[in-house]
Amino acid sequence: MQQDLSIRRYAVGDEPGILKLFAEVFGRNRTAGEWYWQYNDNPWGGGWPVVGVTGNEIVAHYGVARGDLCLRGRRIEAGQSGDAMVRSGMRRNGYCARLMDYCYQLTAADGLKATYGVPNRLSYPGLVRYSGWCKIVNLSYFFFRIGFGKLWGSGPDRVFKCLGGVSSALRMRARRLRHRGDFEISVSSSLPDGLEDLLRNKRTYEVLALWKDPQYLRWRYESHPDVTYLFHTVRTGGIPRALLITRDCGNAIAICDLIHRDNDEVPSLLLLDHIVNYYARSSAQKIEFYGHDAGFFRFVFTSCGFRSIPFSPLVFGGRVFSDPDLDKVFLLPDSWNIAYGDTDVI
């Protein structure tokens, strides 16, 4: 039976009710710090989270976090959709559609041109049916097996990893010799300096991608309240040529982003060889990446021995509110450069 639902914008003090609902719907606990970081601490501005309330209890939630796009080097004000949830037993009453409609009224009033994201299976049908969303592409899945602990046990697994580490080190050395570049690779837990030119150059090569500058990357990765990321940088002559960002998820190492200069594949290939070697002696069993672009990702990952599956569970989609130039290319999959870390799932 449908209950009266009051829809309003998030207010300070709603966090406990939102987090309780998140745990009920998604089956995992989320900290108030992470939620606040996503929707309120973004350097580009606060987001647009809205809640559905019955009595004094939050029973529904939907949010759009600020996440600007880069269209042929031009910055487009946009937002990333996330955390669409309705309490079990109250679904199929149109509550989520009402929340989205209300949220999009707020974003339109503030000048947002588009929204995008990777919705879960529960929210995706509603986004398509009621909110004008369209599927753009299934992100491809790339993975490299660095262990077989579950199959062989810990002893043989250590031997396999040792051999794999030696193999990747030799492959990296051979690649260095073949290309004769003065390549230096560093690893840090904070965003490396000197990335402005790399990121500026990268934006000139994109048709459509997230707008990435040092301020965004620092917020997205370095300032995350609950997760630690590592930054792997390859330089020539002290100048950054490519940046790869990883997260240790225990059983798997997630490659969150791979940012390269001039579409030059050599620094990216060296970084991927380095990643395999760097994590060969960790407890992880595989290295994985989700993403999509016009072909660069597929070339460099498969060249370094990663297996590729073109259809993953991560479905990227969205809608344009008001930008004719953006509208022309928004639904063309190969216009996009989307990396795992551009989503809100890693």
Side-chain angles (χ1 to χ4, degrees), residues 149-219:
K150 290 185 178 180
L151 181 63
W152 295 345
S154 59
D157 187 53
R158 284 194 295 270
V159 174
F160 177 83
K161 286 189 170 187
C162 181
L163 294 174
V166 171
S167 175
S168 62
L170 291 174
R171 186 169 60 246
M172 185 165 55
R173 182 181 293 273
R175 204 183 301 275
R176 283 174 178 266
L177 292 173
R178 185 162 62 250
H179 295 287
R180 299 180 181 277
D182 181 23
F183 297 105
E184 298 178 357
I185 296 177
S186 63
V187 183
S188 62
S189 58
S190 58
L191 191 71
D193 296 328
L195 294 177
E196 291 84 355
D197 189 55
L198 167 65
L199 295 169
R200 188 183 308 111
N201 179 275
K202 179 62 175 170
R203 291 195 296 266
T204 65
Y205 278 81
E206 303 296 0
V207 177
L208 192 53
L210 266 67
W211 182 276
K212 295 176 185 176
D213 52 28
Q215 189 179 22
Y216 166 77
L217 292 178
R218 193 168 289 111
W219 164 80

Side-chain angles (χ1 to χ4, degrees), residues 35-48 64-68 75 78-80 116 210-211 213 215-216 219-220:
W35 186 91
Y36 197 88
W37 162 85
Q38 181 177 356
Y39 289 104
N40 292 321
D41 281 349
N42 192 303
W44 301 338
W48 298 264
V64 171
R66 186 67 181 263
D68 289 354
R75 188 165 182 165
Q80 184 172 95
Y116 58 87
L210 266 67
W211 182 276
D213 52 28
Q215 189 179 22
Y216 166 77
W219 164 80
R220 172 62 183 87

Side-chain angles (χ1 to χ4, degrees), residues 201-319:
N201 179 275
K202 179 62 175 170
R203 291 195 296 266
T204 65
Y205 278 81
E206 303 296 0
V207 177
L208 192 53
L210 266 67
W211 182 276
K212 295 176 185 176
D213 52 28
Q215 189 179 22
Y216 166 77
L217 292 178
R218 193 168 289 111
W219 164 80
R220 172 62 183 87
Y221 296 108
E222 187 177 328
S223 298
H224 196 291
D226 298 327
V227 177
T228 298
Y229 300 89
L230 287 183
F231 303 89
H232 308 257
T233 310
V234 60
R235 291 179 170 86
T236 56
I239 299 174
R241 302 295 300 182
L243 171 70
L244 190 149
I245 303 168
T246 60
R247 172 183 172 179
D248 188 342
C249 301
N251 186 60
I253 302 299
I255 295 177
C256 301
D257 210 340
L258 175 58
I259 302 171
H260 48 88
R261 181 187 175 94
D262 301 332
N263 283 339
D264 182 1
E265 75 276 7
V266 177
S268 296
L269 293 170
L270 287 171
L271 274 181
L272 288 172
D273 286 341
H274 152 79
I275 289 297
V276 173
N277 183 60
Y278 185 85
Y279 287 107
R281 294 171 185 84
S282 72
S283 61
Q285 298 294 295
K286 62 181 176 180
I287 302 171
E288 60 183 11
F289 173 74
Y290 292 85
H292 176 82
D293 66 2
F296 185 86
F297 286 152
R298 183 171 301 279
F299 171 74
V300 295
F301 277 95
T302 56
S303 295
C304 290
F306 281 70
R307 293 184 61 187
S308 171
I309 300 175
F311 296 101
S312 77
L314 298 186
V315 180
F316 183 75
R319 63 170 288 188

Side-chain angles (χ1 to χ4, degrees), residues 18 21-27 30 35 38-39 48-52 58-65 80-88 91 95-101 103-104 115-128 131 133 344-345:
I18 294 172
L21 179 65
F22 188 92
E24 292 175 4
V25 173
F26 296 116
R30 191 180 195 192
W35 186 91
Q38 181 177 356
Y39 289 104
W48 298 264
V50 299
V51 295
I58 294 175
V59 298
H61 172 277
Y62 177 67
V64 171
Q80 184 172 95
S81 168
D83 297 334
M85 48 191 178
V86 177
R87 173 167 293 172
S88 178
R91 297 167 191 159
Y95 290 157
C96 201
R98 288 172 56 192
L99 260 70
M100 293 171 185
D101 183 63
C103 182
Y104 292 159
T115 185
Y116 58 87
V118 182
N120 60 59
R121 289 186 302 163
L122 293 176
S123 59
Y124 182 76
L127 286 164
V128 172
S131 299
W133 271 51
D344 62 348
V345 299

